[in-house]
């Protein structure tokens, strides 16, 4: 039996990327993102500037996504948007736009949790890629979050571990800042680490009970180590940049994977996924694949374009809400601190 395909427009505007995507059922037809270079000047995202840039970008980005997908706005069956977590002023731009389209076209509106969408990006249909089965265990690692999430179905989630201070992406970005690298430093640490020795500078592993994480002590230890070395040799960072990046990356990756392994043992789940911006990290991807081979895990690593913020993941999550008939009212407001699920 053939069915009429469902076209969804997804909108993502939680932080500093304005993104729009069009899906046909679980297939992504287009995924267009405009980044915001302006924040580099300030060493971090400036909320006011982000909101203004979203306002400038949203119409051209949506236009490009529809054009690339080869469909008109009249063919859309629904519109999905990021409700949170994120920056209030940024979220407001996406949500207002989505509401206006839904009202004008008289189509349903689906609200999406950004972190859940990072995980559900694994359910984007692509040739040669299989969907994960349930139960699955996902390590979500982004600029604002680090969590271990058990999924019993697409919409039955449980958080079994999380960071008590900084997120993994923040640890990368703050370490990069100490090394004098521009924001966001995560991808630059990854780049320099390629030619460095991960065992050159052994940084301490935090001792955190259970399945929780902590990265703030690690950041402080890097700061003191660099300050001490630079006192003796002002060219230290410059001369050892690759080794420093490789050692920092190896440390963050092993902190993450040790907890993931503990979570797998505790839950007995061996269908393992990673999601979020830091899942683009080549060291994490490589080490995860190595551990999976040893431990007999079935692993799911997102395609690069679906690791960092994108609207494809919003569209596909919205599609599954559309199928369930879970629609948001016009009165819905953003949720800057939107929890993905209750903490067990
Ligand atoms: O998911 P995301 O794009 O935005 C949030 O929802 O926060 O994640 C952004 C984070 C930043 O901290 C960035 O430095 C980090 O992901 N990131 C990386 C890499 N690519 C992005 N960290 C390490 N290695 C990478 N290749
Ligand atoms: Zn994100």
């Amino acid at each position: 039996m053939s069915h009429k395909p469902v076209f969804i427009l997804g909108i993502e505007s939680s932080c500093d990327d304005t993104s729009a995507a069009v899906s046909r059922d679980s297939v992504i037809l287009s995924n267009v993102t405009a980044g915001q270079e302006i924040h580099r000047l300030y060493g971090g995202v400036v909320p006011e500037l982000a909101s203004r840039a979203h306002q400038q970008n949203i119409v051209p980005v949506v236009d490009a996504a529809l054009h690339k997908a080869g469909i008109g706005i009249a063919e859309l069956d629904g519109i999905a948007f990021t409700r949170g977590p994120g920056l209030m002023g940024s979220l407001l731009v996406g949500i207002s736009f989505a509401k206006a389209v839904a009202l004008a076209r008289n189509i349903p509106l689906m609200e999406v949790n950004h972190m859940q969408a990072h995980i559900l990006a694994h359910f984007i249909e692509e040739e040669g890629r299989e969907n994960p089965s349930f139960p699955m265990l996902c390590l979500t690692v982004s600029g604002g979050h680090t969590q271990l999430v058990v999924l019993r179905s697409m919409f039955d989630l449980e958080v079994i571990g999380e960071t008590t201070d900084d997120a993994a992406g923040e640890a990368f970005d703050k370490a990069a800042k100490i090394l004098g690298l521009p924001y966001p430093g995560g991808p630059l640490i990854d780049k320099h680490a390629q030619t460095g020795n991960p065992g050159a500078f052994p940084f301490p592993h935090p001792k955190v009970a259970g399945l929780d994480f902590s990265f703030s002590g690690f950041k402080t230890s890097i700061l003191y180590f660099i300050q001490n070395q630079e006192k003796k040799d002002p060219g230290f960072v410059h001369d050892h940049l690759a080794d420093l990046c490789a050692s920092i990356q190896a440390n963050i990756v092993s902190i993450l994977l040790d907890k993931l392994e503990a979570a797998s043992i505790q839950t007995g789940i061996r269908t393992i996924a990673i999601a979020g911006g830091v899942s683009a990290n080549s060291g994490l991807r490589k080490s995860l694949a190595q551990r999976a081979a040893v431990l007999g895990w079935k692993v799911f690593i997102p395609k690069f374009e679906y690791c960092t913020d994108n609207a494809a993941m919003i569209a596909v999550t919205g599609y599954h809400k559309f199928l369930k008939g879970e629609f948001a009212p016009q009165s819905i407001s953003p949720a800057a601190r939107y929890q993905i699920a209750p903490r067990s």
Side-chain angles (χ1 to χ4, degrees):
M1 194 181 79
S2 72
H3 74 293
K4 192 186 161 297
V6 174
F7 292 102
I8 304 288
L9 173 65
I11 304 282
E12 155 63 30
S13 71
S14 64
C15 189
D16 60 343
D17 289 310
T18 319
S19 187
V22 176
S23 58
R24 187 190 58 227
D25 298 340
S26 316
V27 176
I28 299 301
L29 300 180
S30 64
N31 180 36
V32 177
T33 304
Q36 302 179 0
E37 281 299 311
I38 182 96
H39 306 291
R40 270 183 187 266
L41 295 172
Y42 303 90
V45 176
V46 184
E48 262 311 304
L49 296 177
S51 174
R52 203 175 312 158
H54 282 304
Q55 286 174 19
Q56 287 163 350
N57 293 341
I58 193 142
V59 172
V61 163
V62 168
D63 219 43
L66 288 169
H67 186 79
K68 222 172 150 189
I71 71 159
I73 205 158
E75 288 166 82
L76 292 174
D77 296 292
I79 178 155
F81 64 92
T82 302
R83 184 181 178 204
L87 301 169
M88 190 51 96
S90 292
L91 292 165
L92 268 170
V93 178
I95 191 171
S96 311
F97 183 89
K99 280 185 190 179
V101 175
L103 197 61
R105 297 297 323 152
N106 194 24
I107 52 175
L109 196 56
M110 283 81 67
E111 57 94 14
V112 172
N113 179 301
H114 177 89
M115 294 312 296
Q116 181 169 16
H118 268 302
I119 303 177
L120 296 190
H122 286 288
F123 294 88
I124 290 171
E125 199 180 311
E126 271 174 300
E127 229 175 278
R129 277 180 98 94
E130 191 190 330
N131 286 345
S133 58
F134 299 109
M136 73 185 264
L137 174 63
C138 187
L139 170 70
T140 58
V141 273
S142 75
H145 293 80
T146 299
Q147 293 184 318
L148 285 161
V149 183
V150 171
L151 283 89
R152 303 205 181 274
S153 73
M154 269 187 213
F155 294 97
D156 179 1
L157 279 65
E158 186 189 349
V159 176
I160 59 168
E162 64 195 328
T163 184
T164 54
D165 42 57
D166 293 349
E170 244 176 313
F172 268 107
D173 297 338
K174 287 180 178 172
K177 198 168 185 174
I178 295 170
L179 299 179
L181 298 171
Y183 178 86
L188 293 169
I189 292 206
D190 192 350
K191 183 176 149 224
H192 292 291
Q194 311 281 343
T195 54
N197 170 11
F201 304 107
F203 292 109
H205 240 248
K207 300 246 174 310
V208 188
L211 298 177
D212 286 338
F213 302 87
S214 168
F215 289 102
S216 68
F218 168 64
K219 176 191 67 196
T220 315
S221 73
I222 294 172
L223 180 66
Y224 289 155
F225 176 74
I226 299 288
Q227 283 177 344
N228 262 327
Q229 297 296 324
E230 287 262 311
K231 250 185 244 156
K232 290 182 255 171
D233 167 15
F236 179 78
V237 169
H238 178 268
D239 295 342
H240 299 89
L241 188 60
D243 284 349
L244 283 165
C245 288
S247 302
I248 288 166
Q249 178 169 298
N251 196 288
I252 297 175
V253 167
S254 70
I255 292 170
L256 293 171
L257 292 184
D258 287 354
K259 290 286 177 169
L260 182 57
E261 187 173 333
S264 168
I265 293 168
Q266 189 175 306
T267 58
I269 300 172
R270 291 160 144 225
T271 299
I272 308 283
I274 53 172
V278 180
S279 61
N281 183 264
S282 58
L284 178 60
R285 296 165 85 96
K286 203 166 123 198
S287 300
L288 175 61
Q290 284 165 349
R291 243 181 239 227
V294 175
L295 299 169
W297 288 349
K298 188 155 177 64
V299 284
F300 294 86
I301 299 175
K303 264 176 79 173
F304 273 111
E305 62 174 311
Y306 303 140
C307 286
T308 46
D309 290 348
N310 66 86
M313 66 186 195
I314 306 301
V316 85
T317 305
Y319 167 63
H320 288 284
K321 289 205 161 183
F322 180 93
L323 292 183
K324 294 201 317 167
E326 219 179 282
F327 305 140
Q330 275 287 332
S331 59
I332 194 152
S333 49
R337 300 184 162 274
Y338 195 177
Q339 294 293 326
I340 189 171
R343 172 69 203 265
S344 65

